[in-house]
Amino acid sequence: MSLNKAMIIGNLGSDPEVRYTQSGAAVANFNIATNETWMDKSGAKQERTEWHRVVVFGKQAENCGKYLSKGRQVYVEGRMQTRDWEDRDGNKRSTTEIVAQTVQFLSSGNAAGRSDGPSSYGDSNRGGSSGAAESSFDQSFNDDDIPF
């Protein structure tokens, strides 16, 4: 038996980057910062920031690109995955990222002036629902825009 599950709450370090595969599927990438604070032995407050790479696919990726922006607080749930590739100089590289199944928007509004959208997106391919949308979401949405 094994389990591969990641759950984080943090703030976006930059706006999501949305690209499309050759088949037209959306892929969004963004980084989330999580902070840890503690008191050291001398009583001084210490803080550490950890950065997490996140990748989201499909309609959920499009919605993240549309409604998320730098600084926005989100909850991300998914699985950890490591990818290997070769860079332009032929060097082998790897990265570990969270492949998101659920992205839930926790803070409202943003500095970029985008309107608030639904607060939660689940991966409709899982056959489950990750929660209901906030009542303050942009009314231009229709049921086809919500991926669960």
Side-chain angles (χ1 to χ4, degrees):
M1 181 176 172
S2 65
L3 176 67
N4 181 354
K5 186 153 196 111
M7 297 183 295
I8 62 171
I9 295 174
N11 296 84
L12 269 70
S14 61
D15 292 349
E17 294 179 19
V18 180
R19 295 193 241 342
Y20 292 86
T21 65
Q22 289 180 350
S23 64
V27 181
N29 295 92
F30 50 90
N31 293 314
I32 296 178
T34 56
N35 299 308
E36 176 184 9
T37 57
W38 71 94
M39 300 296 265
D40 65 16
K41 292 180 181 179
S42 66
K45 183 179 177 181
Q46 300 292 319
E47 184 172 355
R48 176 177 32 234
T49 300
E50 188 73 31
W51 288 94
H52 311 272
R53 298 172 69 82
V54 178
V55 62
V56 186
F57 295 95
K59 186 68 172 177
Q60 183 173 217
E62 292 176 353
N63 289 330
C64 286
K66 185 174 181 180
Y67 291 106
L68 288 180
S69 61
K70 180 179 179 176
R72 186 110 189 237
Q73 187 178 49
V74 295
Y75 165 79
V76 172
E77 184 176 328
R79 62 183 168 82
M80 300 297 296
Q81 178 175 295
T82 300
R83 291 185 297 115
D84 297 316
W85 76 94
E86 213 171 274
D87 68 14
R88 294 178 193 149
D89 299 326
N91 300 312
K92 291 186 179 185
R93 310 272 296 175
S94 69
T95 188
T96 301
E97 57 200 3
I98 299 171
V99 178
Q101 295 164 328
T102 300
V103 178
Q104 184 172 358
F105 306 167
L106 299 179
S107 63
S108 62
N110 56 56
R114 297 177 186 166
S115 62
D116 286 336
S119 65
S120 179
Y121 298 114
D123 183 355
S124 60
N125 296 330
R126 288 189 311 161
S129 170
S130 63
E134 282 183 61
S135 61
S136 64
F137 75 88
D138 181 84
Q139 294 298 320
S140 66
F141 262 120
N142 63 42
D143 290 342
D144 294 332
D145 293 327
I146 301 174
F148 51 86

